[in-house]
Amino acid sequence: MALANIFETPAPGFNFDNAGRNAALEGLFDGGNTPKPMKTGTTIAGVVFKDGVVLGADTRATSDEVVADKMCAKIHYISPNIYCCGAGTAADTEKTTDLLSSNLTIYSLNSGRNPRVVMAVNILQDMLYRYHGQIGANLILGGVDCTGNHLYTVGPYGSVDKVPYLSMGSGDLAALGILEDGFKPDLELEPAKELVRAAIQAGIMNDLGSGNNIDICVITKQGVDYIRPYRESQYKDNRKMKYKYRPGTTTVLTKEVVPLKLEVVQETVQKMETT
Amino acid sequence: MEKHCTDSRVKGVSTGTTILAAIFDGGVVIGSDSRASMGGEYVSSKTINKVIQVHDRIFCCMAGSLADAQAVIKSAKFHLSFHSVQMESPPQVIAAASVLKDLCYKNKDELQAGFLTAGWDKKNGPQVYVVSLGGMLISQQVTIGGSGSTYIYGYVDAKYKPNMTKEECLQFATNALALAMGRDNVSGGVAHLVVITEKGVEHVVVPGDKLPKFHDE
């Protein structure tokens, strides 16, 4: 069981250690205007094609009505052959995928085997189920391993489904329309990339929470092609001025240098054993 | 994802389903639809697999919250496998059903999942068990479950006969699932059927357009 115990088995039941800390933090914001967690308000999609999997995502991260990040990376690295798109609470998707990636790397080193997509899915399912939906992560996992090309969805409550094409996030219904219309089994690479791009584009156009550029990640047996951005937004704003000020913008009136007087009080040398 | 969940009592993805199992002469048929829904208005998957193999000759059908059902079945698979290794023989169908019942009963406050277990073992032949939401375990000759089952109680009561042949039973099961899928909005997709006998396991998938049609379709 040594290989399977990648996590330390958590204590049974819920861990409410952070409840006290959260209550104290909420007390700091009198009036109850606690900052809302940043959501990615996203469109993410994935398609299985003949030689592998194509994952796509928009790049907008929103905090209520403000775009918090215009070039947010929503396609996360899990292992050399597995990538994961995340929708939902930005911090949750980041940390969950990071944790998964670390654990799979340790597993890989310990067992001498490349991780399989189904193992990543099982680890995610166990973790998310244990938290009963409190971790707001809607994930699309795609990868290529020795058993073939796989695309899975993992929901925040821990439900798993294996599918040939998929979209998630606030723009999922718009993207799903494109995917339902254009998907065929065993697509070639270029049509598959174009299908995913069109699906994300539909999400960007029809959903306020999605926007800016489109990232694409193509995973095949030969390797990974992470194209960031695949398509730039045509509404990109070009800055008219620079915000960097050259030295001398503010005139220096006087300059005074005071050297600090330091005395050597004690000097010890510790030899390091390097044998 | 909030816009998908409206008033459903199940949080997250629900299987909102039709499942059934029936014993025939020499084996058992277990089947389900393939729709997973969120909130009663969004179909999150048209091809979800609800008939899961927990051992060589034992299958389970799940109903209720998809996350809860998948988690319980995962745990049950492990326990059954371990039990089988310790006993050095394949588990009995009642063992599988009991494992599920234990998990459902002990965690009844947190879980929203029900199961049908069907299989064949050497001691008692073909058997069907129902584990309900709260953890009740009973054995029946034929049983239906899920939200779509309410529409086919009449059909099942009228048409089921003990000791049918395999073909008759398959037809009965396909008809029942088709009727339920036709009336229940949260059941649909394809009909997954598994036939378990002493000799082995046979999967039958009936796509939506090949399902039997009735008078008004």
Side-chain angles (χ1 to χ4, degrees), chain B residues 4 14 53-54 74 90 97 100 158:
Chain B
H4 294 315
S14 141
Q53 183 162 26
V54 292
K74 238 188 191 184
L100 288 170

Side-chain angles (χ1 to χ4, degrees), chain A:
Chain A
M1 288 293 258
L3 293 178
N5 273 349
I6 295 161
F7 291 122
E8 275 175 18
T9 330
F14 284 111
N15 182 348
F16 288 109
D17 288 349
N18 284 336
R21 177 207 71 176
N22 290 344
L25 280 175
E26 262 173 56
L28 294 176
F29 300 94
D30 35 40
N33 286 341
T34 44
K36 284 205 177 48
M38 184 170 90
K39 294 189 143 259
T40 50
T42 286
T43 309
I44 48 176
V47 160
V48 175
F49 73 102
K50 194 168 92 179
D51 303 317
V53 177
V54 178
L55 297 172
D58 73 306
T59 60
R60 175 178 289 183
T62 51
S63 188
D64 289 339
E65 316 82 38
V66 178
V67 175
D69 191 349
K70 290 185 277 196
M71 198 51 182
C72 156
K74 301 185 191 180
I75 306 182
H76 309 280
Y77 167 87
I78 305 289
S79 80
N81 58 329
I82 305 173
Y83 277 72
C84 178
C85 302
T89 310
D92 287 344
T93 55
E94 273 290 336
K95 277 303 162 197
T96 308
T97 47
D98 264 353
L99 257 173
L100 175 65
S101 174
S102 311
N103 280 303
L104 277 183
T105 314
I106 296 175
Y107 164 80
S108 227
L109 290 166
N110 278 340
S111 66
R113 281 167 112 166
N114 277 331
R116 296 191 188 182
V117 187
V118 73
M119 177 170 187
V121 171
N122 277 318
I123 294 177
L124 272 177
Q125 178 175 41
D126 289 342
M127 187 194 331
L128 291 176
Y129 184 71
R130 213 177 330 124
Y131 286 94
H132 284 291
Q134 300 295 324
I135 297 185
N138 291 293
L139 305 166
I140 295 185
L141 250 125
V144 175
D145 59 32
C146 58
T147 54
N149 315 323
H150 307 287
L151 188 67
Y152 285 89
T153 168
V154 186
Y157 290 90
S159 55
V160 165
D161 192 14
K162 183 175 194 307
V163 278
Y165 61 88
L166 179 62
S167 73
M168 299 283 256
S170 53
D172 63 348
L173 291 177
L176 204 52
I178 302 287
L179 289 174
E180 290 278 14
D181 189 42
F183 177 80
K184 280 184 276 295
D186 292 330
L187 280 167
E188 294 291 337
L189 173 61
E190 286 310 316
K193 273 158 73 174
E194 176 51 32
L195 180 64
V196 173
R197 185 211 61 81
I200 306 292
Q201 184 71 25
I204 288 173
M205 285 288 125
N206 296 291
D207 175 43
L208 296 175
S210 310
N212 300 91
N213 309 325
I214 301 176
D215 288 346
I216 292 263
C217 183
V218 180
I219 312 168
T220 55
K221 240 213 280 258
Q222 283 74 41
V224 171
D225 192 12
Y226 191 156
I227 313 166
R228 180 172 151 78
Y230 180 69
R231 279 284 184 283
E232 290 209 315
S233 158
Q234 61 215 109
Y235 304 104
K236 210 165 140 76
D237 196 13
N238 287 317
R239 292 250 162 80
K240 311 277 188 300
M241 278 199 321
K242 284 207 193 323
Y243 293 103
K244 223 176 150 126
Y245 298 99
R246 45 170 188 81
T249 308
T250 313
T251 2
V252 177
L253 295 175
T254 49
K255 194 161 129 174
E256 188 181 325
V257 178
V258 178
L260 289 170
K261 285 205 186 61
L262 292 172
E263 268 175 43
V264 178
V265 175
Q266 191 193 42
E267 190 178 316
T268 46
V269 176
Q270 192 172 46
K271 274 218 172 93
M272 198 164 73
E273 286 295 335
T274 52
T275 44

